[in-house]
Amino acid sequence: MSGAISLRTAIVAGIACAAAGSAATWYLVHARLPDGHRTPAEADVRAYRYVSLDKIIVMLRGAEGEPVSHFLAVDLVFKTPQETERVTREQLPLLRSVAVSALSNYTLERVRQMTLEELAGVINAAFTQAYASDRAGKPFTEAMISKLIIE
């Protein structure tokens, strides 16, 4: 009789393990993380292209009485879904203008204190604001800095 009990116990344990595995799989596929990020199963699977916008030159504001002008040169790369790549390319002059406008109020000292991520955040925030009233929205997901020169 002890053999029958151990067989029953093994079968019940196997079913319990299978049920727990199924529940864990369902949770990983369907649940969202608390901070709003997607689980790996819900990751974005769109095809992306990268569109370059080179040689954006911005004169930085100088301190009062400073005799030398300073500038910032930045190259941007836009991560854009494949289906909106053409729209992003057509809007490069607008994107250049928005980037220059966003960066032209900074001084040399302030820009030197910023990290690359902070500077990219300023640029992306300016693009988000520029497209806020556009019903079609931004044709790209983010702008990344590919080159930065501060002189």
Side-chain angles (χ1 to χ4, degrees):
M1 185 167 254
S2 68
I5 292 175
S6 64
L7 180 60
R8 252 189 242 162
T9 305
I11 291 173
V12 169
I15 292 171
C17 286
S22 295
T25 301
W26 180 91
Y27 179 78
L28 289 174
V29 170
H30 294 95
R32 289 192 180 267
L33 299 174
D35 60 358
H37 288 82
R38 295 177 176 187
T39 60
E42 294 181 32
D44 190 1
V45 295
R46 293 183 290 181
Y48 286 97
R49 302 287 181 146
Y50 295 89
V51 178
S52 295
L53 178 57
D54 297 335
K55 299 181 181 110
I56 301 172
I57 309 225
V58 179
M59 294 300 293
L60 298 172
R61 293 179 50 187
E64 288 192 36
E66 188 176 30
V68 180
S69 296
H70 299 283
F71 69 92
L72 174 145
V74 64
D75 292 352
L76 298 178
V77 176
F78 297 93
K79 181 179 178 185
T80 180
Q82 188 172 354
E83 55 274 358
T84 59
E85 177 185 8
R86 183 183 58 77
V87 175
T88 301
R89 287 189 189 282
E90 290 172 353
Q91 294 184 8
L92 288 177
L94 169 67
L95 299 173
R96 178 183 303 274
S97 174
V98 170
V100 168
S101 178
L103 297 173
S104 65
N105 291 323
Y106 284 90
T107 63
L108 174 67
E109 290 307 313
R110 177 64 184 123
V111 170
R112 284 187 174 166
Q113 293 171 357
M114 296 174 77
T115 65
L116 196 61
E117 291 80 18
E118 289 172 332
L119 199 56
V122 167
I123 294 168
N124 277 299
F127 290 140
T128 299
Q129 184 179 5
Y131 282 95
S133 62
D134 189 344
R135 290 183 14 206
K138 290 189 307 187
F140 56 92
T141 58
E142 72 174 312
M144 299 170 283
I145 297 175
S146 63
K147 187 189 312 181
L148 175 65
I149 300 170
I150 301 171
E151 189 66 37

